[in-house]
Amino acid sequence: MAWYLLGKDYERNGEQGKANYCFNRAEEVYEAFELSKVPADIWKNYEMRLLQVEKEREKRAKRIRRALLAAVILLLCLVPSVGAPGDPGERLAAEAFDELLPEAKSAGTDDEPDKNGNEEYDGPLFTAAAIGGGKEGNGLSGLLDKPSRLPSHSVVLGMERAGRWKIWSRGMPAMYGITRDPSGVIGIRPYQGAKELCGCEPADDAALTKTAAGWAEIQVHGAVLSEAVRRFHEDRGRLPKSLNELAQPFPNNWLSGRSPEMKALFPHFVSGRNARDSGKKQGKGGEAAGVPRLPGGLGSSPDGKPFFTDPLVVVVDRKKSQAGG
């Protein structure tokens, strides 16, 4: 029927060749209407009814699309913005900042990062690894490479697996703790996250939960800030002078917002990028030199290296409709 109606439309417009092609595709429908003795007024009413049904179908589709659009806008209005005051992630990060970096209120307020690094920090130092280990290991080997530089307490958090992905979240459980006494003796104890792996009675990690969640949130702040500094540098050929340069009004912004954590981290990421460029010019391995060194327990290693050091990328798993980075 569709072919027949399209052919009639072409015929009315004088495009007989296209009309004949459509009539041939219509086959028995064409024969039934053109060769039978159906009165013209009946055919006209039938055609008008078909057109009316098609218009009603289009109106219903438009109403559905408008309703969906209104629902999406409503949801976006209800979702709090990133780093909005009162956001649980920001509160966790702020509380962890106070514990992981006691001088947090003054850190990052100057153009130069704190020179003291991690020399006087005594823990806890956090890092993360996939639960069950794998090719990347269980996170202990990276910390134990230089045990003399470890603080008195270090903790490995566990990332759940979802196929090929490792899930980063504020709720990552503690897997292992590494203690180092004043004489340099190293001790390792399992926490709840490693209960099934060690087949033992794990230590209680309740006291670490809030600080670990805040540390995980700080790493995300750092990853976003690092990417913004990198993109700004590639576009402008220079480093940003302040966090405000990255958080300009749209469309001149590189960040959608700013936070106290980003303000404190900013000079460290800028100095890391500056060291990277200087190292490249002098042929001294700029990539390694360009990794920021964060003070206190804000990093993921004894030298203050942040957990996320590679540029951010978005990978879409079209088979499972998932996005990862």
Side-chain angles (χ1 to χ4, degrees), residues 80-104:
S81 61
V82 175
D87 175 66
E90 183 173 343
R91 288 200 303 271
L92 284 170
E95 292 170 2
F97 233 77
D98 291 338
E99 184 168 343
L100 297 171
L101 183 62
E103 64 276 19

Side-chain angles (χ1 to χ4, degrees), residues 13 27 30 51 62 95 100-102 144 172 175 192 200 205-206 209 217 228 252 258 270 305 318:
N13 293 329
E27 297 178 348
Y30 174 81
L51 292 174
K62 286 182 180 179
E95 292 170 2
L100 297 171
L101 183 62
L144 294 174
M172 293 183 292
M175 288 199 302
Q192 293 290 337
C200 59
D205 59 355
T209 302
E217 188 72 17
N252 299 316
R258 48 179 292 165
V270 170
K305 183 175 72 173
R318 287 182 286 184

Side-chain angles (χ1 to χ4, degrees), residues 2-314:
W3 282 109
Y4 179 70
L5 293 176
L6 183 60
K8 296 295 287 184
D9 189 61
Y10 280 133
E11 189 177 54
R12 282 193 294 270
N13 293 329
E15 300 181 73
Q16 194 59 45
K18 293 181 179 179
N20 290 338
Y21 173 80
C22 294
F23 291 149
N24 288 333
R25 295 296 301 270
E27 297 178 348
E28 66 272 7
V29 175
Y30 174 81
E31 296 176 1
F33 282 96
E34 294 293 325
L35 302 181
S36 64
K37 301 297 182 178
V38 179
D41 58 338
I42 295 178
W43 158 242
K44 188 174 182 179
N45 289 336
Y46 181 72
E47 185 178 19
M48 291 178 62
R49 178 58 183 161
L50 287 176
L51 292 174
Q52 184 180 359
V53 169
E54 183 63 27
K55 288 180 180 179
E56 290 176 353
R57 185 183 295 113
E58 289 181 1
K59 287 181 180 179
R60 284 198 302 271
K62 286 182 180 179
R63 284 197 296 267
I64 292 173
R65 286 196 294 270
R66 287 173 183 169
L68 289 174
L69 179 59
V72 170
I73 293 174
L74 178 61
L75 287 174
L76 289 176
C77 291
L78 295 175
V79 174
S81 61
V82 175
D87 175 66
E90 183 173 343
R91 288 200 303 271
L92 284 170
E95 292 170 2
F97 233 77
D98 291 338
E99 184 168 343
L100 297 171
L101 183 62
E103 64 276 19
K105 293 183 179 179
S106 61
T109 55
D110 301 320
D111 292 335
E112 294 296 326
D114 181 15
K115 302 295 183 181
N116 295 328
N118 292 0
E119 292 176 5
E120 299 179 359
Y121 181 69
D122 203 34
L125 172 68
F126 291 97
T127 188
I131 294 176
K135 293 181 179 179
E136 303 88 356
N138 56 16
L140 293 175
S141 57
L143 291 176
L144 294 174
D145 280 344
K146 297 179 179 179
S148 62
R149 300 185 58 189
L150 288 176
S152 63
H153 187 200
S154 305
V155 179
V156 180
L157 304 179
M159 292 181 282
E160 298 283 353
R161 288 187 179 274
R164 58 182 288 198
W165 309 107
K166 290 175 287 187
I167 309 300
W168 185 270
S169 74
R170 297 195 291 251
M172 293 183 292
M175 288 199 302
Y176 299 101
I178 301 176
T179 58
R180 177 175 177 271
D181 67 16
S183 63
V185 176
I186 299 293
I188 299 176
R189 58 182 174 182
Y191 285 118
Q192 293 290 337
K195 183 176 181 179
E196 296 181 1
L197 301 175
C198 73
C200 59
E201 188 62 32
D204 183 22
D205 59 355
L208 298 169
T209 302
K210 183 176 290 187
T211 310
W215 174 86
E217 188 72 17
I218 289 169
Q219 300 310 302
V220 175
H221 281 262
V224 173
L225 177 61
S226 176
E227 185 70 9
V229 171
R230 184 179 72 85
R231 297 278 187 175
F232 182 97
H233 184 243
E234 291 175 353
D235 183 75
R236 303 287 177 87
R238 65 174 178 84
L239 291 168
K241 297 177 181 178
S242 68
L243 188 60
N244 290 333
E245 273 200 287
L246 300 176
Q248 295 291 318
F250 180 84
N252 299 316
N253 62 312
W254 303 88
L255 290 171
S256 61
R258 48 179 292 165
S259 67
E261 292 70 38
M262 287 184 178
K263 183 179 180 181
L265 294 172
F266 176 78
H268 302 284
F269 281 96
V270 170
S271 65
R273 174 64 55 171
N274 193 36
R276 173 183 178 273
D277 294 343
S278 299
K280 277 189 172 182
K281 290 179 182 179
Q282 299 173 13
K284 296 182 179 180
E287 294 294 339
V291 177
R293 300 294 184 241
L294 305 181
L298 303 182
S300 64
S301 64
D303 59 3
K305 183 175 72 173
F307 188 86
F308 299 109
T309 57
D310 294 329
L312 296 181
V313 296
V314 176

